[in-house]
Amino acid sequence: MKTLSLTLSGVLLATSALVAPAAAYAQSPAAQQAPAAQTAVPQEDESSTLDEIVVLGRNIPEPNRESAEVAAFLTAEDLQRTGDSDAAGALARVTGLTVVDSRFVYVRGLGERYSSALLNGSPLPSPEPLQRVVPLDLFPSSILAGVTVQKSYSPNYPGEFGGGVLDLETIDAPSDSFFSFGASVGGNSETTNKEGLVYYGSDSDWTSFDDGTRDVPGALALAFDSGRQITRGAYTPNELETIGHSLVNAPLRLLQRQTTPVDFGVEMAGGLSSDSSLGVLGLVVAAGYDNNWRQRTGFKEQGQFQGDVLVPVTSYATESNQNDVQLNLLTSMSLTRPDHEVKWTNLYVRNTTKEARIEAGPDFDAGGSVIRNDYTEWFVRQLFTSQLAGEHWFADGSLNLDWRVAWAKTSRDAPYESRFQYGVNTAGDYIHNIQGNLISFSELDDDMLSGGVDLSYVLPLSDAREAVFSVGLASLENSREAERRDLQFAAVNGLTDEQRESRVDFLFSDFNINPNTLEIREIAGTNGASAYDADLQVNAAYAMVDAEFLPLVRTTFGVRYEDGEQSVTPRDLFGGAAPYAPTTLEEQYWLPSATVTWNFAEDMQLRFGASQTIGRPQFRELAPQAYTDPESDRTFIGNPYLVDTEILNLDARWEWFFARQQYVTAGVFYKDMDRPVESVVVDVGNTRQQSYLNAPQARILGVELEAKKYWEFPDAGMGFIADKRWLVQANYTWSDSEVIADADDVVYDLSGGGAPSPAAFFIADGSRLQGQSEHVANLQFGWEDDVARSQATFIVNYVSERITARGAGQGGVREPDYVQEPGVFLDFVYRRDFDMMGRELGLALEFRNLLGTDFDEHQELGNTIRINSYDLGTSASASLTARF
């Protein structure tokens, strides 16, 4: 048993009791419309009959009133204004949030491993092998009714909480029937109508479904299932020839060039509700299809010490063209009665990435000779989740029962992930380097079953105050199977000059695959486990109270108990001993939290919070299986010696809602992290890999500021400015973090085999926490014109540099860290509604990255090493939606 205690435990015991947002919402529908703590009382009654002063708080938005925690809310209106196509883009505008790789959300500068994503309150598994958190670009904004970002912890949420929890709420049954259909087109200055790399693939790639071309061929599938490694010792030359012939050749290997087309997409949504003897039946269906292209040209370099400076010893010029196709389908059915509601929600998302890329330049491993690598890739990410949930009110709304059960399945399939390598002959022409070819098949499947029940009771304390007592149970089981098979063609007797100079599909044609020329072989076990199974089981219970024991002072306090067991078991594909022993982490935690909200003045309030939470290593961080990230081309491998991170969270925030939908907020936060997980670059022979370790300790101190203000100028003489509602909304987060690595601190890295290593060799004491930016700022400026039915917004986003990985060690000296500079992004969104032929139409114009900011990841020590840099370009799109 492992018990955590807070240094502020006395404060928690003195002020607390346990209520979650679920408990805050656990009132009858009628009670939700007028929360007891904010009941509007006539002024004359206040002066003559009341013995309590009740501040009206009439400008505080309902979500902020009902939430007892430090939180931010994205409404449907916010999603429409910013025009972002998915949840990841929309969340980039929220105070203290940054989005990495356009997919993963960092809350308050903490890596995505310290944030959890929920869908309608239920957890989701991730289809990404490098992350446990689901990438939020999978969720189109059209299916979202809103997003809650809770930054202070409450016990009704899972204990894995560092930066915050993101709860995505899908659209619900409408009060009136509706149907809409929309189409969009767009392009990018670096991509559209420009010549780009492609490979054929299959006839149906544009649908996101392969026509069978990339299926594991029969002869190869039989070999994989046999339990024997594909080598000459296990198979006859003729059998190896049959396996080699079974692989698809030209459609998946031959790079070509073509003019890149425009982006396009369609989406539709409909809903209806109907009265019945059982209650009100509701149905919502939303579906979408998007087809986008992105071309990148840039550089990837690797540095090495020469004296006291770094010089580039590998320098590749890179070019890639990526086609992303996404399908999504949401169905939601509900049955609503006055005191009961049952809802069944199903979501299916499928995203495919088809990429062709080339990198070429001098390579350190090749003695400085020029090397070219050609890649063809096809990644399929798929998510399906089904949730059944119910909410029931009893005893005139004072007793609430809330339950949910969900099953989710995600998968990632990467068939025929191919690399073909070339060197340069004396004439300066590229010729095949047969030792550098590689064809991989990898699969990852996650299943997650979760459920929970919350029971709350509302106890009136006076006519204007109440206490809500809540208890709950939750259970989660997440299992994963991951497998990777690597194949290579070997030249049995070497290649002739004619063969080296031939086209790639000619070289790997059936004519050359025979016992005397090219022979297929399987590479396994050189960089870790080829397969692993993983499992996470968490059983939890909580209790909390949300009460206004004193007028205008709302206190919430409680505790969550979690019993968690996480395991990763490497497997040998050929029946032998696994290269690493299984890893098992079994811990029990008591996680207390308390928040006090003081409504000290009309439309002003102060919040103070303290909590203890944890962060578990991800499956991929624990699994010693090598994997190449297509975004960075770096090879990642897990570390089975990782342990949980323990986190102390402190928050304080002032909120002033001075008018409807207008406010100013200011807050400070502090986090003390014991053994946070950091990513570190290591050299394994001539191969550079990225792995993980637990840093000894880290601390973060931050300040958050946010303001939103509308202006109106009714004077008709002001021309364009008049008759519009002008908006300025801005937020800024400053964070100062430091990783502590004293001289006597140790870490347990993969290369050490479980033995301790000096922490100072891997991490500089006092350096910034990985992934954390010192400055994050957002600005929105625009207008709304009710007469013209139009809306326009300029959006500015700035994120300062952040560390992406700790530098590798060379000769006992550590390289500088890898640093990314996200920079400044400027977007413009314009929307207008109009009528045509009796139909309401909506036009939207979006312009992204108007400043042309590029992606820049580098090292600096005497020279700048361009780890990964490329042009992002400026994007534009137009969409038209018809509403019926």
Side-chain angles (χ1 to χ4, degrees):
M1 169 76 69
K2 186 163 196 173
T3 303
L4 302 180
S5 61
L6 284 173
T7 58
L8 298 184
S9 57
V11 176
L12 297 184
L13 292 174
T15 60
S16 37
L18 319 149
V19 119
Y25 296 128
Q27 305 177 32
S28 67
Q32 289 184 25
Q33 295 174 11
Q38 306 291 344
T39 302
V41 181
Q43 187 173 2
E44 58 272 21
D45 292 339
E46 290 181 11
S47 59
S48 59
T49 62
L50 284 184
D51 57 359
E52 295 179 350
I53 300 175
V54 179
V55 177
L56 302 180
R58 59 179 176 270
N59 295 320
I60 300 178
E62 185 175 352
N64 298 80
R65 280 203 313 265
E66 293 181 345
S67 174
E69 305 299 330
V70 175
F73 303 92
L74 276 181
T75 65
E77 179 186 358
D78 297 325
L79 294 170
Q80 184 182 43
R81 170 176 287 280
T82 58
D84 297 290
S85 60
D86 54 57
L91 287 167
R93 323 296 180 191
V94 175
T95 311
L97 269 62
T98 55
V99 177
V100 178
D101 295 334
S102 301
R103 296 182 292 169
F104 301 107
V105 172
Y106 285 21
V107 181
R108 290 176 165 176
L110 294 170
E112 49 80 26
R113 69 171 62 85
Y114 297 113
S115 301
S116 57
L118 308 176
L119 186 68
N120 296 327
S122 293
L124 291 168
S126 174
E128 290 291 338
L130 286 179
Q131 284 84 16
R132 185 165 67 219
V133 176
V134 64
L136 295 179
D137 64 327
L138 290 180
F139 297 92
S141 58
S142 59
I143 69 169
L144 297 176
V147 183
T148 298
V149 182
Q150 185 169 307
K151 300 178 185 179
S152 63
Y153 179 67
S154 57
N156 61 306
Y157 279 127
E160 284 192 76
F161 184 103
V165 60
L166 292 83
D167 198 349
L168 288 76
E169 180 186 356
T170 56
I171 54 180
D172 211 340
S175 56
D176 298 315
S177 299
F178 75 95
F179 177 76
S180 65
F181 177 85
S184 64
V185 294
N188 177 271
S189 61
E190 295 291 324
T191 305
T192 308
N193 204 34
K194 294 192 174 182
E195 192 176 77
L197 290 171
V198 295
Y199 72 95
Y200 181 75
S202 77
D203 290 334
S204 59
D205 285 356
W206 65 273
T207 68
S208 87
F209 289 92
D210 176 87
D211 66 1
T213 298
R214 296 181 181 84
D215 291 348
V216 180
L220 182 61
L222 289 173
F224 283 166
D225 294 339
S226 70
R228 295 177 292 162
Q229 187 172 353
I230 303 173
T231 61
R232 251 198 186 186
Y235 292 86
T236 67
N238 288 336
E239 289 174 328
L240 293 176
E241 180 178 347
T242 300
I243 295 171
H245 286 176
S246 70
L247 294 176
V248 176
N249 185 17
L252 303 182
R253 292 172 177 163
L254 183 62
L255 289 181
Q256 304 176 68
R257 291 188 179 275
Q258 73 172 27
T259 301
T260 306
V262 299
D263 303 336
F264 67 95
V266 294
E267 63 180 23
M268 62 183 69
L272 56 87
S273 59
S274 175
D275 292 329
S276 72
S277 58
L278 298 175
V280 179
L281 296 172
L283 172 66
V284 170
V285 178
Y289 168 87
D290 283 292
N291 191 319
N292 301 308
W293 295 81
R294 285 299 174 265
Q295 186 166 324
R296 295 174 177 174
T297 55
F299 295 91
K300 292 179 181 176
E301 295 182 334
Q302 180 179 322
Q304 189 177 56
F305 280 115
Q306 287 189 6
D308 295 331
V309 301
L310 279 178
V311 297
V313 293
T314 296
S315 184
Y316 285 143
T318 63
E319 179 185 356
S320 71
N321 200 11
Q322 177 176 310
N323 182 207
D324 290 298
V325 180
Q326 178 166 299
L327 299 174
N328 62 81
L329 174 65
L330 170 79
T331 64
S332 178
M333 291 178 282
S334 61
L335 174 63
T336 305
R337 295 173 62 88
D339 293 324
H340 304 277
E341 182 179 18
V342 177
K343 184 178 178 181
W344 182 28
T345 303
N346 297 278
L347 175 65
Y348 172 76
V349 180
R350 179 183 175 91
N351 181 283
T352 60
T353 296
K354 179 181 180 180
E355 184 172 8
R357 56 195 172 102
I358 289 177
E359 56 184 29
D363 188 287
F364 172 72
D365 293 339
S369 299
V370 172
I371 293 292
R372 190 182 103 189
N373 292 308
D374 292 1
Y375 298 87
T376 60
E377 296 161 329
W378 168 265
F379 303 104
V380 181
R381 300 180 291 162
Q382 193 164 271
L383 163 68
F384 174 75
T385 180
S386 181
Q387 182 198 59
L388 186 64
E391 195 166 7
H392 311 276
W393 293 270
F394 306 96
D396 296 326
S398 60
L399 183 64
N400 173 256
L401 176 66
D402 186 4
W403 58 270
R404 62 206 170 274
V405 60
W407 175 76
K409 182 177 181 63
T410 62
S411 63
R412 180 187 185 273
D413 188 16
Y416 282 97
E417 190 178 346
S418 302
R419 180 190 70 193
F420 300 99
Q421 192 173 86
Y422 301 83
V424 176
N425 62 15
T426 55
D429 299 322
Y430 284 113
I431 59 174
H432 287 283
N433 178 8
I434 195 64
Q435 293 84 6
N437 79 87
L438 187 68
I439 302 172
S440 302
F441 294 81
S442 62
E443 289 185 302
L444 181 149
D445 291 288
D446 257 25
D447 284 277
M448 180 179 287
L449 181 64
S450 63
V453 59
D454 304 286
L455 182 66
S456 63
Y457 176 72
V458 180
L459 176 66
L461 300 178
S462 72
D463 291 340
R465 296 181 291 114
E466 64 184 20
V468 183
F469 299 87
S470 300
V471 294
L473 300 172
S475 180
L476 175 148
E477 182 173 358
N478 183 194
S479 60
R480 170 177 289 188
E481 294 180 0
E483 184 174 302
R484 182 181 178 90
R485 315 292 294 244
D486 293 323
L487 305 170
Q488 187 178 66
F489 281 98
V492 181
N493 297 307
L495 297 179
T496 67
D497 288 343
E498 182 180 359
Q499 289 167 336
R500 289 191 186 95
E501 296 169 1
S502 63
R503 212 169 71 177
V504 63
D505 54 329
F506 292 169
L507 176 62
F508 293 98
S509 65
D510 288 352
F511 176 80
N512 287 327
I513 299 175
N514 58 63
N516 299 311
T517 310
L518 293 178
E519 190 173 79
I520 195 167
R521 297 174 184 175
E522 185 171 9
I523 306 167
T526 57
N527 287 325
S530 297
Y532 69 91
D533 298 324
D535 189 73
L536 172 65
Q537 294 184 337
V538 179
N539 295 311
Y542 77 88
M544 56 184 196
V545 178
D546 183 354
E548 195 173 342
F549 293 114
L550 299 175
L552 311 179
V553 180
R554 180 180 182 181
T555 62
T556 68
F557 60 93
V559 66
R560 184 181 185 90
Y561 171 76
E562 281 200 354
D563 183 353
E565 182 175 354
Q566 185 174 8
S567 64
V568 174
T569 305
R571 287 190 287 114
D572 184 83
L573 295 172
F574 314 114
Y580 293 90
T583 297
T584 300
L585 299 175
E586 186 173 0
E587 302 284 4
Q588 296 82 37
Y589 295 101
W590 291 96
L591 303 172
S593 76
T595 304
V596 177
T597 302
W598 179 25
N599 194 181
F600 65 94
E602 185 174 31
D603 296 334
M604 284 191 193
Q605 54 191 19
L606 280 172
R607 298 185 191 269
F608 303 93
S611 63
Q612 184 79 54
T613 56
I614 60 170
R616 296 185 176 93
Q618 302 168 22
F619 288 149
R620 190 61 199 89
E621 294 170 344
L622 286 167
Q625 183 189 61
Y627 167 80
T628 300
D629 178 17
E631 288 288 332
S632 63
D633 274 344
R634 291 200 288 270
T635 300
F636 288 75
I637 188 166
N639 178 6
Y641 309 112
L642 297 178
V643 297
D644 294 350
T645 302
E646 301 170 10
I647 309 169
L648 168 67
N649 310 280
L650 302 176
D651 281 275
R653 179 165 164 169
W654 167 73
E655 301 172 348
W656 177 30
F657 297 89
F658 55 84
R660 182 177 176 271
Q661 297 181 327
Q662 302 177 67
Y663 52 82
V664 175
T665 69
V668 295
F669 61 89
Y670 173 81
K671 296 181 182 294
D672 192 317
M673 309 178 71
D674 183 40
R675 295 170 297 182
V677 175
E678 294 262 282
S679 180
V680 60
V681 177
V682 295
D683 285 328
V684 182
N686 286 334
T687 303
R688 180 156 287 193
Q689 297 181 342
Q690 196 162 323
S691 189
Y692 308 91
L693 52 77
N694 288 106
Q697 192 175 8
R699 299 191 183 105
I700 302 178
L701 175 65
V703 175
E704 293 179 327
L705 304 172
E706 184 173 17
K708 183 178 181 180
K709 171 65 178 172
Y710 285 103
W711 280 274
E712 294 187 51
F713 304 92
D715 185 355
M718 300 188 71
F720 177 79
I721 297 177
D723 298 325
K724 290 180 174 63
R725 192 183 188 205
W726 293 83
L727 165 71
V728 174
Q729 182 173 352
N731 61 66
Y732 169 72
T733 302
W734 172 84
S735 303
D736 181 48
S737 65
E738 123 179 93
V739 179
I740 300 169
D742 294 333
D744 55 348
D745 286 329
V746 298
V747 296
Y748 296 86
D749 63 304
L750 179 64
S751 60
S757 301
F761 177 69
F762 295 91
I763 302 168
D765 182 50
S767 61
R768 187 180 304 150
L769 186 69
Q770 188 178 116
Q772 190 267 332
S773 296
E774 185 176 4
H775 306 284
V776 178
N778 296 284
L779 171 66
Q780 295 183 37
F781 171 73
W783 71 83
E784 299 172 355
D785 189 331
D786 292 337
V787 176
R789 298 159 64 189
S790 65
Q791 182 184 81
T793 312
F794 288 94
I795 306 164
V796 182
N797 172 247
Y798 169 70
V799 180
S800 64
E801 68 176 24
R802 55 177 170 239
I803 296 171
T804 56
R806 303 295 178 183
Q810 295 185 15
V813 181
R814 200 84 198 161
E815 291 181 6
D817 296 332
Y818 289 9
V819 173
Q820 181 196 350
E821 292 192 21
V824 180
F825 286 82
L826 172 63
D827 302 337
F828 176 71
V829 178
Y830 176 79
R831 297 181 175 276
R832 181 166 184 171
D833 292 339
F834 57 95
D835 296 323
M836 180 178 291
M837 295 183 294
R839 300 293 182 191
E840 183 183 13
L841 302 180
L843 172 69
L845 301 175
E846 301 177 18
F847 301 89
R848 305 290 181 181
N849 195 19
L850 291 170
L851 300 179
T853 303
D854 299 329
F855 183 91
D856 177 24
E857 184 184 21
H858 62 270
Q859 285 177 295
E860 284 191 12
L861 187 62
N863 294 295
T864 298
I865 309 299
R866 296 171 294 185
I867 300 298
N868 190 15
S869 63
Y870 53 84
D871 299 328
L872 292 172
T874 299
S875 300
S877 66
S879 64
L880 187 65
T881 301
R883 305 180 184 95
F884 300 89

